[in-house]
């Protein structure tokens, strides 16, 4: 089995609950046909339970589906009629409720039907994998393991693989390959200890925050203000996260810790506080029941006061002095100030950090295979921008260890458990080093996984302390871009601007890079070192000219922008855009002009210029007009209308697959599920085009446009939208200009024009809008608040 290539043709998911259905959704996102099993329904269609779950997927936000159409590749099934279908599934994932007895009953039922080479995995968030393996026939044990997806499975990067004692090494490697490349996941191999790595530490961190909030008398909304983005953590922070996860689910994970970790020195902490038990008893389970720790009444938010059990108005923020400390860039200084301050909020924050450091230091040997696994698990599973060991190491290992030890001795910590000897070694500077991360069980440093699939990650996720030299050898650099090569004859360009916005420096740098690539390289790839791909034109770089009314210099920049898009289309070498995150405005226009896009599944793509009162000025209107003429089946206006609406409503594709459906990306573009593989795949695409005798596309001599009658027809519909108050007067004006540009201006229907003709119209319309006071208000609002203004 380990020698032959492992191919996953089909997967079965057992259990159509929240997780099972969403895992099935992500499998079909990745073009893996999936059978979703559940119990036979008591009445009506016996597949009723699975069918209802599949239908429910269409309503969830954010959507578990990369496109509406993929849902039909999930086949509903029930255990009475369809067990024979398991034979044809290469992977079977069990995802029923977290009860050992129920799982054991199901295993007895399905085991005889599982194929002799198939992998059988349980998606449990904390039950013992070895305990579950005991109820399997011996022949199946080598192919059994835990595979713990995080919720929601499409969006959360982490999947934990938990081997049981008999799990075959080759099987685990095959499963990891499939999870990493096909499903795009970050895999951490966990030990079979309760709640594994991420939940064990992440939930502990929440329990410590709850305990310390009580100890220092900090309101729940203040805790959430202090423990969210200010600490580099998700907006949902602590209590809001519990609401989102579901208070019953959170309590269940805590109960697992209480029942299975009797000897953990922190055991007294592993219980749901009384206020939480009361909420659950009252059916207030958080976001899914619309009331939990928080509740919304009309426009106003309320938060629970645990002392009285009543809800009080929410929205209190942390103290300004504390927020100033949190802004300190140097972690060592930040922790020193928090620890020395007598302010209860500072004491609370230091205590939360200290207790997590204490816990991970004490438990590293028994919970994880290395400190790297802990940091990745918490970053990928709980959304922290920096893992707990990285935080400790960056603040000065010795000093923090000494502070933790002092607090433990002084009885300030949650327990008096002593730190293990390795933490306090006199020469220890941390746990992450260039040659690997520390494993407390063996005392050795563990290098990265050598599994072949990771050779595709040219810029993998790194932990602090690993070698972080910039990738490749710099070929050219200016203030806007860095162009580099890793020696494979492809020139890679990365933007250096904030959010990779496109201003004069980026345009100049990109053009220079194309010059160099045409002269010395086989292809050019635009790839950013981190998301977003680009938020579009850099409006703030236009501000000085804007203030002085120097319209000529702005028009020249737009002309330059258009010319750069056209160079990407017609240059002498293949051009590829590797996208992830936001691909907005000018970033989207660049992607529309390259030879090929390699888009990470989580690419959010749109021509969103209308939001700032403009229209696409970098070739977006032209490109859609051209595509409509090339795709029309005798009815140009029909082909044009969807493209027009995409621009006029600033429609954003919520995945790379949807971007193909709307038309921002082409059907021939490539979708990659693991963003860390983007650069590798993009370079392979560029090289493949070069090796197959690449020639630039022939310049389009001319193409027909819909003309003034086409524009009039579109504007007729806009009038209805205006009168129905769906759009404002200014929206109507902008949309009218977009219609004029996309239909080729004041010409007869069917008139043949060239690309430059539409580019000129596009640029003039852009300048008209830029000089309009309502558009200027929209731009100012976006630059000051970051939000679109509807005026």
């Amino acid at each position: 089995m380990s020698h032959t290539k492992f191919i996953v043709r089909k997967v079965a998911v057992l259990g159509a609950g929240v997780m099972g259905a969403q895992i099935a959704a992500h499998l079909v996102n990745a073009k893996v046909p999936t059978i979703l099993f559940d119990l036979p329904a008591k009445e009506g269609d016996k597949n009723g339970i699975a069918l209802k779950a599949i239908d429910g997927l269409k309503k969830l936000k954010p959507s578990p589906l990369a496109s509406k159409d993929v849902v039909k590749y999930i086949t509903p099934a029930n255990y009475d009629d369809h067990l024979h279908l398991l034979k044809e599934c290469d992977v079977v994932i069990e995802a029923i409720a977290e009860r050992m007895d129920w799982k054991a009953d199901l295993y007895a039922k399905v085991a005889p039907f599982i194929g002799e080479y198939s992998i059988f995995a349980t998606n449990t968030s904390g039950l013992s994998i070895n305990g579950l393996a005991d109820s399997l026939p011996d022949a199946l044990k080598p192919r059994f393991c835990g595979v713990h997806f995080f919720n929601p499975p499409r969006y959360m990067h982490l999947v934990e693989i938990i081997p049981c004692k008999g799990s075959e090494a080759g099987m685990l490697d095959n499963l990891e390959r499939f999870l990493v490349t096909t499903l795009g996941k970050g895999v951490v191999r966990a030990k079979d200890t309760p709640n594994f790595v991420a939940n064990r530490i992440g939930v502990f961190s929440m329990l410590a925050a709850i305990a310390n909030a009580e100890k220092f008398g900090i309101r729940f909304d203040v805790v959430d203000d202090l423990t969210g983005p200010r600490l580099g953590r998700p907006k949902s922070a602590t209590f809001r996260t519990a609401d989102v996860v579901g208070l019953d689910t959170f309590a269940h994970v805590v109960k697992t810790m209480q029942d299975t970790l009797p000897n953990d020195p922190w055991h007294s902490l592993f219980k749901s506080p009384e206020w939480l038990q009361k909420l659950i008893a009252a059916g207030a389970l958080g976001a899914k029941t619309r009331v939990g720790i928080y509740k919304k009444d009309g426009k106003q938010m309320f938060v629970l006061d645990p002392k009285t059990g009543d809800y009080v108005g929410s929205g209190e923020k942390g103290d300004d002095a504390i927020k100033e400390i949190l802004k300190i860039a140097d972690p060592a200084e930040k922790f020193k100030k928090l620890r020395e301050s007598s302010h209860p909020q500072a004491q609370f924050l230091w205590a939360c950090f200290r207790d997590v450091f204490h816990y991970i230091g004490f438990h590293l040997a028994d919970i994880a295979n290395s400190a790297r696994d802990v940091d990745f698990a918490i970053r990928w599973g709980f959304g922290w921008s920096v893992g707990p060991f990285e935080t400790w190491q960056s603040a000065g290992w010795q000093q923090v260890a000494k502070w933790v030890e002092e607090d433990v001795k002084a009885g300030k910590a949650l327990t008096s458990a002593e730190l293990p000897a390795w933490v306090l070694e006199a020469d220890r500077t941390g746990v992450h080093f260039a040659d690997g991360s520390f494993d407390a069980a063996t005392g050795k440093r563990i290098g990265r996984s050598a599994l072949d699939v990771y050779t595709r990650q040219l810029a993998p996720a790194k932990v602090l302390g690993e070698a972080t030299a910039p990738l490749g050898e710099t070929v050219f650099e200016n203030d806007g871009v860095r162009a580099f090569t890793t020696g494979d004859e492809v020139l890679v360009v990365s933007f250096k601007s904030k959010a990779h916005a496109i201003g004069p420096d980026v345009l100049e740098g990109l053009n220079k890079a194309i010059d160099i690539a045409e002269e010395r390289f086989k292809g050019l790839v635009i790839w950013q070192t981190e998301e977003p791909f680009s938020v579009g034109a850099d409006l703030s770089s236009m501000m000085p000219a804007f203030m002085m009314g120097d319209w000529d210099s702005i028009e020249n920049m737009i002309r330059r922008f258009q010319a750069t898009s056209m160079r990407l289309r017609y240059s002498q070498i293949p051009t590829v855009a590797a996208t992830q995150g936001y691909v907005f405005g000018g970033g989207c226009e660049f992607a529309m002009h390259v030879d090929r896009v390699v888009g990470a599944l989580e690419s959010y793509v749109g021509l969103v210029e209308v939001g700032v009162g403009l229209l696409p000025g970098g070739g977006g209107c032209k490109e859609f007009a051209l595509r409509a003429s090339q795709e029309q089946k005798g009815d140009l206006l029909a082909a044009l209308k969807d493209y027009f609406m995409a621009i006029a409503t600033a429609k954003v594709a919520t995945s790379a697959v949807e971007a193909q459906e709307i038309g921002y990306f082409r059907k021939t573009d490539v979708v990659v599920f693991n963003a860390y593989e983007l650069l590798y795949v993009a370079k392979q695409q560029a090289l493949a085009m070069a090796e197959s005798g690449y020639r630039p596309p022939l310049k389009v001599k001319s193409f027909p446009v819909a003309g003034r009658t086409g524009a009039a027809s579109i504007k007729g519909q806009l009038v209805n939208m205006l009168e129905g108050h769906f759009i404002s007067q200014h929206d109507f004006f902008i949309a009218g200009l977009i219609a004029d540009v996309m239909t080729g201006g004041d010409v007869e229907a069917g008139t043949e024009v060239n690309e430059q003709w539409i580019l000129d119209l596009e640029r003039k319309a852009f300048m008209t809008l830029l000089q309009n006071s309502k558009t200027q208000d929209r731009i100012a609002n976006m630059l000051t608040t970051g939000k679109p203004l509807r005026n």
Side-chain angles (χ1 to χ4, degrees):
M1 172 172 170
S2 49
H3 304 297
T4 50
K5 195 165 139 203
F6 179 69
I7 297 172
V8 178
R9 295 174 184 82
K10 192 178 277 186
V11 172
V13 177
L14 312 179
V18 175
M19 282 305 278
Q22 292 201 46
I23 291 168
H26 195 57
L27 284 159
V28 292
N29 286 341
K31 298 193 180 131
V32 180
T34 302
I35 308 173
L36 182 61
F37 280 85
D38 211 303
L39 297 164
K42 300 263 193 295
E43 53 227 24
D45 189 327
K46 278 177 89 174
N47 293 334
I49 297 177
L51 280 164
K52 189 175 173 211
I54 293 167
D55 200 48
L57 291 169
K58 301 172 192 166
K59 304 183 183 84
L60 287 173
K61 288 262 177 287
S63 176
L65 303 163
S67 109
K68 301 188 288 298
D69 296 342
V70 296
V71 76
K72 55 177 180 275
Y73 300 101
I74 305 177
T75 306
N78 69 77
Y79 302 125
D80 274 7
D81 302 336
H82 301 115
L83 287 178
H84 62 280
L85 296 177
L86 291 173
K87 278 260 187 287
E88 58 200 51
C89 296
D90 301 294
V91 178
V92 178
I93 299 171
E94 169 272 307
I96 68 166
E98 295 281 60
R99 277 190 43 183
M100 290 293 259
D101 52 342
W102 290 2
K103 289 184 192 275
D105 288 348
L106 181 63
Y107 294 2
K109 201 187 293 185
V110 301
F113 296 93
I114 291 174
E116 63 172 318
Y117 298 111
S118 306
I119 294 174
F120 185 42
T122 171
N123 176 64
T124 172
S125 58
L127 295 179
S128 162
I129 304 301
N130 286 301
L132 290 167
D134 286 343
S135 52
L136 286 173
D138 288 345
L140 196 48
K141 285 178 185 169
R143 291 178 282 121
F144 179 71
C145 65
V147 54
H148 179 209
F149 285 84
F150 275 65
N151 193 14
R154 170 181 160 189
Y155 299 96
M156 296 306 283
H157 191 57
L158 180 66
V159 173
E160 291 171 320
I161 290 182
I162 312 97
C164 65
K165 287 192 188 74
S167 296
E168 187 185 292
M171 177 276 294
L172 295 168
D173 286 350
N174 282 333
L175 182 60
E176 183 162 347
R177 289 182 180 104
F178 173 70
L179 289 167
V180 169
T181 286
T182 308
L183 299 187
K185 296 301 169 195
V187 169
V188 165
R189 294 209 187 178
K191 296 183 178 184
D192 187 19
T193 53
N195 291 345
F196 316 129
V197 181
N199 272 347
R200 176 83 177 265
I201 294 162
V203 171
F204 172 83
S205 145
M206 289 171 73
L207 289 170
I210 291 169
N212 285 313
E214 188 180 354
K215 180 173 170 185
F216 294 102
I218 315 289
R219 285 172 51 123
F220 290 178
D221 49 355
V222 174
V223 169
D224 278 355
D225 180 53
L226 292 171
T227 59
R230 297 183 202 283
L231 300 185
R233 296 181 193 172
K235 284 203 289 281
S236 56
T238 304
F239 291 103
R240 187 88 197 107
T241 295
D243 267 352
V244 171
V245 167
L247 299 184
D248 50 343
T249 309
F250 179 64
H252 170 81
V253 177
V254 174
K255 178 94 170 74
T256 305
M257 293 171 82
Q258 188 176 20
D259 295 347
T260 54
L261 295 167
N263 303 324
D264 191 307
W266 283 264
H267 186 262
S268 62
L269 189 70
F270 304 156
K271 58 179 194 294
S272 294
E274 203 172 311
W275 57 262
L276 180 60
Q277 294 171 27
K278 281 185 177 156
L279 286 176
I280 294 171
L285 306 180
K288 58 187 165 190
T289 57
R290 304 239 165 103
V291 55
I293 295 168
Y294 288 89
K295 76 168 183 184
K296 198 170 184 182
D297 195 355
K299 285 262 164 99
Q300 210 185 339
M301 279 302 268
F302 293 88
V303 65
L304 184 76
D305 175 352
K307 287 199 270 303
T308 63
D310 297 326
Y311 286 92
V312 295
S314 159
E316 276 201 26
K317 302 277 186 245
D319 192 292
D320 287 343
I322 308 306
K323 292 193 284 203
E324 283 310 307
I325 297 177
L326 292 180
K327 284 185 190 150
I328 297 171
D330 174 18
E333 187 190 340
K334 181 171 13 190
F335 283 135
K336 186 170 188 294
K337 286 228 159 77
L338 285 175
R339 192 165 182 265
E340 286 170 358
S341 164
S342 57
H343 195 295
Q345 290 175 17
Q347 292 289 308
F348 159 76
L349 284 166
W350 161 249
C352 289
F353 276 107
R354 172 203 65 217
D355 293 335
V356 170
F357 295 153
H358 190 188
Y359 197 74
I360 59 178
F362 185 88
H363 278 303
L364 176 59
D366 51 82
I367 292 181
N369 294 313
S370 77
R372 183 194 311 109
D373 287 346
V374 169
D375 281 340
F376 279 158
I378 295 294
R379 274 163 48 175
W380 295 341
F382 279 77
W384 295 17
S385 57
V386 183
F389 275 121
E390 295 177 286
T391 304
W392 181 347
Q393 184 165 332
S394 67
W397 184 272
Q398 293 284 336
Q399 178 62 71
V400 171
K402 199 175 285 144
W403 283 336
V404 174
E405 195 184 21
E406 280 171 23
D407 280 13
V408 171
K409 287 196 170 127
K412 290 181 179 173
L414 291 169
T415 163
S416 57
E418 287 183 19
L419 284 167
W422 70 264
V423 172
L424 301 164
E425 285 163 1
D427 57 349
R428 178 164 295 284
T429 56
V431 285
H432 299 305
F433 305 93
D435 60 347
S437 291
F438 186 69
D439 168 20
T442 61
K444 295 193 173 80
R445 292 181 190 176
I446 307 289
R448 283 302 188 97
S449 164
L451 203 61
D452 51 7
V453 65
Y454 293 110
T455 58
R456 297 165 59 86
Q457 300 190 6
L458 304 181
K462 290 266 173 66
V463 283
L464 174 98
E466 277 189 279
T468 49
L471 193 62
E473 173 198 343
T474 303
V475 175
F476 162 76
E477 191 165 13
N478 71 351
D479 289 340
V481 311
R482 171 178 178 252
F484 66 90
T485 176
T486 56
D488 54 7
E489 298 189 86
V490 177
L491 188 65
V492 182
V493 185
S494 297
F495 301 172
K496 290 159 54 174
S497 49
K498 187 178 174 210
H500 307 132
I502 302 161
D505 292 336
V506 170
L507 289 172
E508 184 199 336
L510 185 53
N511 276 285
K512 176 81 175 148
I514 298 172
D515 290 341
I516 295 170
E518 286 184 332
E519 205 174 295
R520 293 167 36 200
F521 290 88
K522 284 184 175 171
L524 176 98
V525 170
I526 304 174
W527 167 83
Q528 315 300 9
T529 52
E530 58 195 1
E531 59 181 76
F533 177 72
S534 172
V535 293
D538 180 5
L539 293 172
S540 53
S541 70
M542 295 184 193
M543 281 331 260
F546 193 72
M547 292 309 194
M548 290 161 60
D550 181 358
W551 305 113
D552 288 349
S553 75
I554 294 179
E555 185 164 1
N556 279 332
M557 182 183 152
I558 302 304
R559 197 177 266 118
R560 189 85 203 265
F561 209 123
Q562 292 179 334
T564 307
S565 292
M566 294 297 276
R567 274 204 81 186
L568 288 168
R569 162 71 40 90
Y570 293 117
S571 84
Q572 294 303 312
I573 35 130
T575 55
V576 178
T579 68
Q580 63 166 320
Y582 296 143
V583 187
F584 284 169
C588 178
E589 288 171 301
F590 281 175
M592 290 167 78
H593 281 81
V594 293
D595 290 302
R596 184 143 310 149
V597 173
V598 173
L601 177 70
E602 302 308 333
S603 293
Y604 309 113
V605 192
L607 294 169
V608 296
E609 286 82 355
V610 174
V612 287
L614 294 167
L615 52 69
C621 298
K622 178 275 299 177
E623 190 54 25
F624 269 169
L626 172 61
R627 290 186 192 182
S629 84
Q630 291 169 337
E631 291 158 14
Q632 64 161 324
K633 308 253 190 314
D635 186 349
L636 179 54
L637 196 57
L640 193 65
K641 271 186 176 159
D642 283 347
Y643 286 146
F644 165 78
M645 285 306 287
I647 295 180
T649 60
K651 188 169 186 176
V652 173
T654 57
S655 74
V657 181
E658 212 175 281
Q660 290 177 311
E661 289 170 0
I662 296 169
Y664 295 128
F665 293 173
R666 298 185 190 86
K667 297 280 189 273
T668 49
D669 287 332
V670 178
V671 179
V672 169
F673 272 60
N674 196 320
Y676 293 110
E677 296 183 356
L678 267 180
L679 181 56
Y680 172 83
V681 178
K683 290 163 104 180
Q684 293 298 324
Q685 290 286 327
L687 287 167
M689 284 187 275
E691 296 300 340
S692 44
Y694 177 83
R695 295 280 310 157
L698 292 164
K699 283 212 169 65
V700 179
K701 283 270 190 269
S702 69
F703 59 95
V705 289
R708 63 179 89 87
T709 50
S713 159
I714 292 174
K715 288 176 187 173
Q717 289 175 310
L718 293 174
V719 171
N720 295 340
M721 290 172 77
L722 180 66
E723 286 174 354
H725 301 297
F726 295 109
I727 56 175
S728 71
Q729 190 69 48
H730 191 49
D731 290 328
F732 177 75
F733 176 62
I734 300 166
L737 278 177
I738 296 168
D740 288 336
V741 173
M742 291 181 76
T743 54
D746 190 10
V747 295
E748 295 288 330
T751 301
E752 297 271 336
V753 302
N754 61 14
E755 288 177 274
Q756 193 56 49
W757 173 267
I758 305 243
L759 288 172
D760 291 343
L761 290 173
E762 188 182 88
R763 192 178 65 252
K764 289 193 180 84
F766 186 94
M767 295 308 297
T768 301
L769 286 168
L770 199 55
Q771 293 171 43
N772 180 300
S773 64
K774 285 207 159 125
T775 284
Q776 291 174 2
D777 292 344
R778 285 192 185 189
I779 292 173
N781 196 68
M782 181 60 86
L783 289 175
T784 50
T785 69
K787 295 193 168 66
L789 170 73
R790 292 299 303 272
N791 56 356

